[in-house]
Amino acid sequence: MDIERKWRDRWRDAGIFQADPDDREKIFLTVAYPYPSGAMHIGHGRTYTVPDVYARFKRMQGYNVLFPMAWHVTGAPVIGIARRIQRKDPWTLKIYREVHRVPEDELERFSDPEYIVEYFSREYRSVMEDMGYSIDWRREFKTTDPTYSRFIQWQIRKLRDLGLVRKGAHPVKYCPECENPVGDHDLLEGEGVAINQLTLLKFKLGDSYLVAATFRPETIYGATNLWLNPDEDYVRVETGGEEWIISRAAVDNLSHQKLDLKVSGDVNPGDLIGMCVENPVTGQEHPILPASFVDPEYATGVVFSVPAHAPADFIALEDLRTDHELLERYGLEDVVADIEPVNVIAVDGYGEFPAAEVIEKFGVRNQEDPRLEDATGELYKIEHARGVMSSHIPVYGGMKVSEAREVIADELKDQGLADEMYEFAERPVICRCGGRCVVRVMEDQWFMKYSDDAWKDLAHRCLDGMKIIPEEVRANFEYYIDWLNDWACSRRIGLGTRLPWDERWIIEPLTDSTIYMAYYTIAHRLREMDAGEMDDEFFDAIFLDDSGTFEDLREEFRYWYPLDWRLSAKDLIGNHLTFHIFHHSAIFPESGWPRGAVVFGMGLLEGNKMSSSKGNVILLRDAIEKHGADVVRLFLMSSAEPWQDFDWRESEVIGTRRRIEWFREFGERVSGILDGRPVLSEVTPAEPESFIGRWMMGQLNQRIREATRALESFQTRKAVQEALYLLKKDVDHYLKRVEGRVDDEVKSVLANVLHAWIRLMAPFIPYTAEEMWERYGGEGFVAEAPWPDFSDDAESRDVQVAEEMVQNTVRDIQEIMKILGSTPERVHIYTSPKWKWDVLRVAAEVGKLDMGSIMGRVSAEGIHDNMKEVAEFVRRIIRDLGKSEVTVIDEYSVLMDASDYIESEVGARVVIHSKPDYDPENKAVNAVPLKPAIYLE
RNA sequence: GCGGGGGUGCCCGAGCUGGCCAAAGGGGACAGGCUUAGGACCUGUUGGCGUAGGCCUACCAGGGUUCGAAUCCCUGCCCCCGCACCA
């Protein structure tokens, strides 16, 4: 670790990652600013290492690279955390002590949310520096800084002036005990539970309404009766100028959604049973019937019955018909006898009463049968997906259920015949404070109008001009731009910036983080200024106008904008990344729109999802201490491409560590071969004459080229494969091929390899590379050294083919020896006769794999007299080679050049024949181009 | 349900622009060498068969196109991610 500290100090002292405008071409990239509510884990490590590798690579290519960082402290989770710590919640304390490793004296201060984010911001920065990230820290800020708040307020006023902000209501999970909205982290039970919207249908009874909630308002045309639970309490309530009858248990929920709701009296449900209500749509009279299955806590405690399409209603009616005691108690014999199901939805595969059929299909016997739930689920799904309103339904007959549902609900609401409410998808939902949560509708909420068509058009145009990596996720962006609806952009609690025109509200995290990239360009300059002076004209002058005021700030912004790359997690495409596009396209002219985005996958730990709350996580600091920053970096960059999920496996991390050690040893080995350390600043290009020397330099060029291309498109895994693993394989092979030879050519080749290789590895393992660069006589920082040169031309194919032939020949010999089970004294190798090469050329020229055509040409050119041999060879071409292009080489001279190597590999004398002058077992005829014949004796 | 991504050899994971692909690379396992207290390092093997470099089988399953398919086409099965107050 001393090496790591040494280079961190030197980089910092030299200020080499600080970027200011100059004559160079620029690259500006940003990655999500972290929400510092806990310690960094290895998943964060990958997120922040990818941009660092790219930034280092581009600097070495000569670009002026800006890679900044800040802290997104906006939001409510730290409020909840602070509350829980204040309350001494044992689980929360345990998580912060044991998972996040917060010292006890610090933990005592965690009842202050501002302190939590300050603590973890420091912690994050420290770990980021340990990782060697080449960040320009001068531009560091946090989202509660007054200057940043002024920037966000400018932004949101701009959007309102453009008509892209509106007011409305919004449902949230709410704890009445805390008197605040709660997030999933705040829940003891019910984490991840969704909020469903239901339509309330008003069935008139006298001057009141029995209000029944449903997901399926289109089925009201088939209603036959209402269900009340006679064993539960019901009340009259007043809301919206009407009197409703609902269950008493429903009052708690509903009063958080209808804020004028008041209880005005009790109702005995038994008194209502047998009475009739009026269907708000058809005008028909429906009887009220008793049903113990009605849950008073769910929605309103009033249910309407559609026996044709709801298995539970169908079977409840059947059960009621046979329950004579109940019928007699309420005098319902004649009423129930007259009830017939009414079909309202036609769906393929089912008849008039699908509910009855699905009950039979599932073998449901009664209301208590557990199969009833499955039967219901299946029918609801099919009717929604494939159902069509029956033809007798006025107006909506023939319409798809999936379309009719929303249309009918909206129509009924417009006419005052329906209302809406929200319910949790599952129960119970319990706050960590112990309180039972409800769905509450927050009034006067503010929304971003992502539904605005013109804005969507702008967003699409912006996206069209962007590079998306990987390209296949562009479809996700296109989809989400169209899919997004209005977004609640303000909150009642949390850290952040207050809405400028209504200070009760705080701008929420996904809305205050859409154009902060622009803020980075000048953040270090604002530090010396007073936030109070930053009005809208101030920010206009920097980001939009050419008024000439604040010209220096304007010029710095203009140098760095547009943003070249935005990097973020792929699960944020549907919100943050798409919002980023929306907001840039609304605020900035087209010249300021972002140029590209790269998305990340998740991190796994030994095949399992990581989770801080479950303690299944490796802290980045721990990984650095155990393995060193370079090992962590290299592993994260080599185990998967950025957009894929990666899996932290300790055994492979150790393998990566061994590979870095090997790389360092390679430098020492080259020093040994060169009789002293090379002086990299004096290395001149190698110009080898031997086949193998040319092969090595060709491979080096190829690896540099492929790694460079990979990095250009953020393929960090492919880049490491080429730059380290495949180049190592090439170098291993070269060393083996030249074993025992120490001449000027070998020395020159190895010095060139080392010179290029250290630079090639520098973005991935900067500490190791700096140390080796210095040790072997490199000038200055390797972080500032030029990226290795390479030629775009393809390598000499003949050199590669020649080396492959040598390897294959060795392998063939060894294979034969293995099969024969003995070692020969002498190995004879026979190269292919000229006529076979000529036949190959003809086959390529003919252009199709046709025996007759090839034979005809061979004959016409008089290539070989023995047409039988030719036919056999052509058959083999067709079978083995097809239309592949074949590179012509001088097999004999290649093999002669490598004969020492072949002998040492097979442990026998090797004789190479260009003609079969000694061939006791007639093996020479087996030779085909690039696959010499072999005879062992 | 909507949108997106995937299924490869013991595990992870390349390959998909049809042709040395029994399939890159890494890990694990087995064997040997070196050094030994160990670790590290090096070499070989890692589907079956084979006394001549070869043959057979294999890339979720079935079918098709092709001289030739892990790769292209069709059908089916299974898995992962996102889908609105975490950010």
Side-chain angles (χ1 to χ4, degrees), chain A residues 55-75:
Chain A
R56 284 176 176 273
F57 162 62
K58 283 296 173 183
R59 283 194 197 95
M60 293 178 73
Q61 284 190 323
Y63 291 89
N64 187 14
V65 178
L66 173 58
F67 175 29
M69 190 53 58
W71 313 109
H72 195 197
V73 305
T74 304

Side-chain angles (χ1 to χ4, degrees), chain A residues 114-172:
Chain A
E114 294 268 7
Y115 188 74
I116 294 171
V117 294
E118 183 191 325
Y119 174 88
F120 282 117
S121 299
R122 272 190 270 122
E123 180 70 11
Y124 258 73
R125 177 170 170 166
S126 172
V127 176
M128 284 180 170
E129 288 174 331
D130 287 351
M131 284 292 285
Y133 296 154
S134 54
I135 289 167
D136 181 355
W137 285 108
R138 296 177 299 162
R139 301 164 194 264
E140 177 183 2
F141 65 88
K142 66 183 190 297
T143 53
T144 48
D145 287 352
T147 49
Y148 188 73
S149 287
R150 288 299 177 121
F151 171 73
I152 295 299
Q153 286 177 341
W154 163 78
Q155 174 196 355
I156 204 157
R157 268 194 294 260
K158 273 266 172 279
L159 293 167
R160 190 191 56 172
D161 293 347
L162 290 168
L164 298 176
V165 183
R166 71 165 175 90
K167 204 170 179 181
H170 190 64
V172 299

Side-chain angles (χ1 to χ4, degrees), chain A residues 449-461 463 474-486 573-574 578-579 581-582:
Chain A
K449 288 168 65 171
Y450 295 127
S451 61
D452 188 277
D453 286 336
W455 204 4
K456 286 177 186 292
D457 286 345
L458 269 188
H460 274 295
R461 281 184 41 219
L463 178 63
R474 182 183 294 276
N476 294 27
F477 280 93
E478 307 272 9
Y479 172 81
Y480 278 111
I481 290 174
D482 290 332
W483 175 83
L484 275 170
N485 216 323
D486 293 354
I573 294 172
T578 308
F579 293 179
I581 289 169
F582 268 94

Side-chain angles (χ1 to χ4, degrees), chain A residues 666-772:
Chain A
F666 174 72
E668 291 305 299
R669 200 158 161 199
V670 172
S671 299
I673 292 168
L674 269 58
D675 292 323
R677 294 182 198 160
V679 182
L680 295 180
S681 57
E682 296 174 5
V683 170
T684 55
E687 296 180 343
E689 297 190 347
S690 71
F691 265 109
I692 193 60
R694 290 164 56 205
W695 176 86
M696 184 66 241
M697 294 310 293
Q699 292 302 109
L700 179 63
N701 188 78
Q702 179 180 338
R703 301 309 175 196
I704 296 170
R705 188 182 65 236
E706 296 305 318
T708 304
R709 286 182 180 166
L711 279 177
E712 293 287 356
S713 53
F714 289 88
Q715 292 179 284
T716 56
R717 185 183 179 289
K718 182 175 167 64
V720 173
Q721 286 291 100
E722 296 286 338
L724 181 60
Y725 294 105
L726 296 180
L727 183 51
K728 176 182 179 294
K729 188 180 174 186
D730 293 341
V731 170
D732 279 343
H733 180 64
Y734 176 72
L735 290 174
K736 188 180 221 178
R737 281 286 265 107
V738 299
E739 195 160 356
R741 277 172 50 191
V742 182
D743 56 30
D744 286 347
E745 178 182 296
V746 170
K747 290 177 180 179
S748 177
V749 167
L750 288 177
N752 268 269
V753 169
L754 187 66
H755 185 229
W757 211 354
I758 294 172
R759 288 178 286 154
L760 204 53
M761 295 306 297
F764 304 104
I765 51 175
Y767 294 115
T768 303
E770 292 283 4
E771 190 67 12
M772 289 175 75

